[in-house]
Structures are given as C-alpha cells and as structure tokens.
Amino acid sequence: MNCKITGKKINPFMSFGKMPIANGFIEKKDFRDEFFFNMEVGFNEDISLFQLNDHPKPEKMFNKDYPFFTGSSEYMKKHFKEYANFVKNYLNSNSKIIEIGSNDGTFLKNFITQTNNVIGFEPSESVANVAKKSNVPTITKFFNKSNVKDLNKYLGQTDLICASNVICHVPNLNDLIETIDLLLSSNGTFVFEEPYLGSMFEKISYDQIYDEHIYMFSASSISKIFKRFDFELVDVFPQITHGGSMRYIVKRKGKINISSNVEKIIETEKKKDLDKINSCLNFKKNCENSKSKILKKLIDLKNLGNSICGYAATSKSTTILNYCNIDTQLIDYICDTTKEKIGKFSPGMHIPIVDMKHFYNNVTDYVYLFAWNHKEEILKKEKDYKGKWISHVEL
Ligand code: TYD
C-alpha cells in the first residue's frame, strides 16, 4: 500500500497469511463466499508507522452488521466515564463536541445531559441505532471532509474532537486530519486513544493486528504525522485498556507548552527502537515463536484427552485462529455475550459461537481466553468455573 501521508510504497516485513474480516461472524450458508485478504504488515520509517500493507474497504467492515458494542464490557463503560471526566479539562459550558466512531454512544452519553452540542459519527448502523435509542445525536456516516461540510455550527468551532480505538481504522489519515482541521476551533483539542505499539511488542499481542487496525501507533509516529499538518502532540497518557493503549492530546501548533511526558516517551521509544524497523523484525520472530508455542500447547492438551473451548469471540481471536490454523479439531466452541454473534461461526476457521448458557452446561477442561484484555472482569465473573484458563499472552 502507498502511505497516504508520504506517498511512499511500504514493503511488508511479515505476512500473517490469508485472513477473513475479523468481525465477519458468518452463517453456514455463506461459508463458500467468505472474503479473505492477504494480511501483511510493513513499517514506514519516515513517520515510524507500523501499518497493514493492504486492507479491505471500510464499507466491508463497518456496516449494518458490525457486531462490536462498546457497552459489552462493564469495565469499558467505567473507562469511558473516566475518559469523559478527563476531557472536561478541555471544555467550557458551551463547548461543541464531536466523537469519531461513536459506536453505541457509551462515551457521548456522558455529555448529553449537559449540552446540546454533541455529535457522534458512526458509519455502522447496527451500533449507531443503539446510540440513537439512547438519545445520542448520531450521524450514520464515515467521518470525512465531505460528510462534515454542511455542519455549519461546528466548522472551526468545535472545542473537542474525541475518538477511541478508531483512528487506526481510518485508511486516509490525510483526509482525517484535514477534516479535524476544518472543525476544530483555534484553541480546540483532539483527544484520542489507540492500542499502543510498545505494548503490542512487549506482550507479543499480535492479535491486535487485523483488518480494522490499519495502523498501530506510537508517540513517535503520532508526533511525526501531526507535525505534517501544523498540529502538535502536546501530551500522552498511557492506558491499560486493550492490553495497553495510549491517550494522545493534539492541538494546533504553538497553543500550549508541550508536556514533558511527550519528550520522555519519545526518548523511551527511541531506546527500544520503536521508531525503527529493527523492533519490527524482532517482533516478527516473537510472533512466530508464540504461534509454535500455543499450537504445541493446544495439540498436547488435546492428545492428553482434554477438551478446550474459547471465551469471547473477539476480533482479535480471528487473527490468532487463522494465523495458527486453529479450528474445531482443537477448540469445540467459543462462548460470547453478543447476540449478533451467537449462532454464527468464527470467521475463517468456522468454530461455532455459542451463548453463555452453553459454556456453563458444557464445561471444558481448558478455556482459551480470547478477551485477555478483559481478564480481570471475566475471571471475577467466572470465578466458579472449573476449567483452566490459557492464552497466547501471559494471564
Ligand atoms: P474486546 O476485547 O473488546 O474485543 P475486540 O478484540 O473485538 O476489540 O472484547 C469484546 C468481545 O468480548 C465481545 O464479543 C463481547 C465479548 N465479551 C464476553 O463475551 N464476555 C465478557 O465478559 C466480556 C468483557 C466480553
């Protein structure tokens, strides 16, 4: 893929093989027409950006069937409450707020009682409709220049633009930042959270890589990207969500002093080579080792007569299952709370997705925790479960 910011062709350094749509939970009748793409990753050294080499069109992923609901985790609901309190530092009583990728409205719900000046952009009808039912003003469209041009009240007058786990979904970062530029007031703030490259390398959580996650950002990449558009990364706040994320604060150039947090983290990233391809090559080796290790573990367990199920049909699990070629010979079923996934099959490997009742009635010897990032919430909830928990990351 040509990098939209530099125009440079990026050569992949690693392939994860043939991948389906990560959230493309599928019915049996559609198996034969399932869509696959070749999932390769590359690194743009000009802007220190880890990225997919190619990706399916956004409309293929974010549509009326999109089955990821932010509110499915109690912990994430709490997180978004805290996030909403945090961004109040950047608001006054009349501020206009826009969220990019507002999903089921979990975040914006925290503002609608205080102001009428709130809009969420959410292209996936399935989740946008849930937000609308909770009275969160939602535009069911992608956030881009052409879809904001008539928002007169917001053009140049938006004090806060927020996003969570969404900016890495946007292929055209040029258009994204130009759209932010159109909307943001002179002293406005863009606050967003994304899974963090450093955490993915550390945990070898390569399941963060899938069709929706076109980029895996670091402070170095964000700082370099926004500089090109006369914006500045002014602060960073590490988060524990999604196995390690970063909250980035971006403003127009020269508006406030850059926090020492930014310099510190960029120095740390330099020490770890996160701004260079060397760290990626090391990560590639680690992924290959991780694959061999988890496959051996699952095969050994099966050979000893154990039964294994999966817990939470996450998007991340699609990468694990397809890269490691894990199907129903190893994992009997995956349980999940999302009604839109239950009764369907996992993308690519076609493991049945079942409800929680099935999980309690069909106790397996081992449980593969695919939502390892929600470990605390899940292990607390399932403390009476008799099976042993496993995963490719440390639990
Ligand atoms: P998440 O890690 O946020 O998913 P993704 O990799 O797609 O970003 O987990 C969300 C999924 O996990 C969703 O399908 C619901 C499921 N889930 C459960 O089934 N039970 C739970 O207790 C939690 C927290 C999530």
Side-chain angles (χ1 to χ4, degrees):
M1 175 166 82
N2 279 335
C3 175
K4 291 268 177 15
I5 293 177
T6 60
K8 188 169 150 183
K9 171 112 182 92
I10 310 300
N11 292 322
F13 65 83
M14 177 175 186
S15 173
F16 287 89
K18 229 171 56 152
M19 273 297 151
I21 299 286
N23 264 311
F25 295 88
I26 191 166
E27 290 178 36
K28 214 174 226 165
K29 67 174 174 48
D30 298 324
F31 284 177
R32 275 166 49 149
D33 298 325
E34 193 166 13
F35 172 87
F36 288 90
F37 73 106
N38 200 12
M39 197 167 86
E40 296 178 324
V41 287
F43 190 75
N44 181 340
E45 285 202 279
D46 294 349
I47 47 174
S48 303
L49 185 58
F50 184 104
Q51 60 178 87
L52 288 187
N53 191 43
D54 197 8
H55 57 86
K57 283 204 163 52
E59 293 77 4
K60 236 181 159 43
M61 302 177 267
F62 308 113
N63 52 42
K64 64 176 180 33
D65 297 322
Y66 190 60
F68 178 84
F69 294 80
T70 303
S72 68
S73 155
E74 286 308 314
Y75 177 77
M76 288 311 280
K77 282 201 250 179
K78 266 193 234 142
H79 172 76
F80 282 111
K81 217 175 197 92
E82 178 276 319
Y83 188 11
N85 276 332
F86 172 89
V87 298
K88 283 182 186 152
N89 296 327
Y90 303 99
L91 295 172
N92 60 51
S93 55
N94 298 315
S95 284
K96 300 185 179 68
I97 308 170
I98 291 183
E99 187 184 8
I100 308 171
S102 44
N103 197 274
D104 55 11
T106 298
F107 175 72
L108 285 183
K109 254 188 234 168
N110 294 296
F111 298 97
I112 48 173
T113 49
Q114 297 145 45
T115 168
N116 290 322
N117 299 324
V118 169
I119 294 186
F121 272 83
E122 177 48 67
S124 310
E125 256 174 82
S126 47
V127 290
N129 287 342
V130 175
K132 286 179 188 170
K133 272 192 197 141
S134 310
N135 298 320
V136 176
T138 305
I139 297 179
T140 316
K141 286 183 181 166
F142 285 98
F143 177 84
N144 58 34
K145 271 198 296 218
S146 97
N147 289 338
V148 307
K149 68 178 188 313
D150 297 327
L151 288 182
N152 291 330
K153 184 172 125 180
Y154 286 83
L155 295 174
Q157 298 178 65
T158 307
D159 289 321
L160 180 70
I161 301 181
C162 277
S164 306
N165 313 310
V166 161
I167 302 309
C168 68
H169 294 185
V170 181
N172 191 345
L173 291 177
N174 276 4
D175 184 85
L176 173 98
I177 301 172
E178 284 165 12
T179 310
I180 291 170
D181 188 27
L182 279 178
L183 291 163
L184 215 55
S185 62
S186 138
N187 197 28
T189 314
F190 176 41
V191 183
F192 64 110
E193 296 183 351
E194 298 291 317
Y196 180 56
L197 181 75
S199 306
M200 180 178 83
F201 281 1
E202 225 161 82
K203 295 198 162 80
I204 322 174
S205 47
Y206 64 86
D207 48 342
Q208 284 295 357
I209 304 168
Y210 52 89
D211 52 5
E212 294 176 23
H213 289 180
I214 300 171
Y215 309 105
M216 193 56 65
F217 295 114
S218 60
S220 309
S221 59
I222 291 298
S223 167
K224 286 178 184 171
I225 290 167
F226 279 88
K227 242 182 215 159
R228 292 181 178 231
F229 295 83
D230 269 353
F231 282 97
E232 255 172 1
L233 175 62
V234 295
D235 217 337
V236 288
F237 298 91
Q239 305 292 313
I240 57 165
T241 48
H242 291 287
S245 299
M246 194 62 73
R247 181 176 295 166
Y248 301 99
I249 318 292
V250 168
K251 286 178 94 70
R252 295 186 189 278
K253 199 170 163 192
K255 291 292 171 184
I256 57 167
N257 291 335
I258 297 182
S259 145
S260 58
N261 291 342
V262 173
E263 198 183 317
K264 274 189 219 145
I265 193 150
I266 291 182
E267 259 325 291
T268 308
E269 290 181 358
K270 278 204 174 112
K271 278 192 196 129
K272 294 182 176 170
D273 266 354
L274 287 194
D275 57 337
K276 297 198 191 66
I277 196 160
N278 301 358
S279 54
C280 297
L281 300 176
N282 196 35
F283 173 67
K284 174 179 189 264
K285 265 190 245 145
N286 290 341
C287 291
E288 288 160 359
N289 288 340
S290 167
K291 172 180 176 174
S292 314
K293 212 163 120 192
I294 193 71
L295 257 180
K296 180 171 172 355
K297 183 165 194 158
L298 294 172
I299 292 167
D300 286 352
L301 287 175
K302 273 311 254 195
N303 286 343
L304 289 169
N306 293 294
S307 55
I308 311 168
C309 76
Y311 194 105
T314 57
S315 343
K316 295 185 290 291
S317 66
T318 298
T319 298
I320 300 294
L321 297 170
N322 287 275
Y323 175 55
C324 301
N325 203 18
I326 297 169
D327 61 13
T328 46
Q329 291 194 11
L330 293 172
I331 292 196
D332 298 344
Y333 62 80
I334 303 172
C335 62
D336 197 279
T337 52
T338 316
K339 71 174 184 340
E340 286 75 3
K341 297 181 185 177
I342 295 163
K344 294 189 177 166
F345 293 83
S346 75
M349 287 294 120
H350 302 161
I351 300 172
I353 312 301
V354 300
D355 62 12
M356 297 312 296
K357 224 156 86 199
H358 187 99
F359 174 67
Y360 301 121
N361 291 338
N362 296 271
V363 178
T364 52
D365 302 306
Y366 285 80
V367 197
Y368 196 133
L369 182 57
F370 289 118
W372 51 267
N373 45 315
H374 297 298
K375 177 182 94 175
E376 268 155 38
E377 177 174 349
I378 292 173
L379 294 196
K380 196 165 153 204
K381 198 160 53 177
E382 308 298 354
K383 61 183 183 316
D384 296 332
Y385 194 68
K386 300 279 179 285
K388 290 194 188 78
W389 297 86
I390 51 170
S391 181
H392 57 289
V393 293
E394 225 169 277
L395 289 181

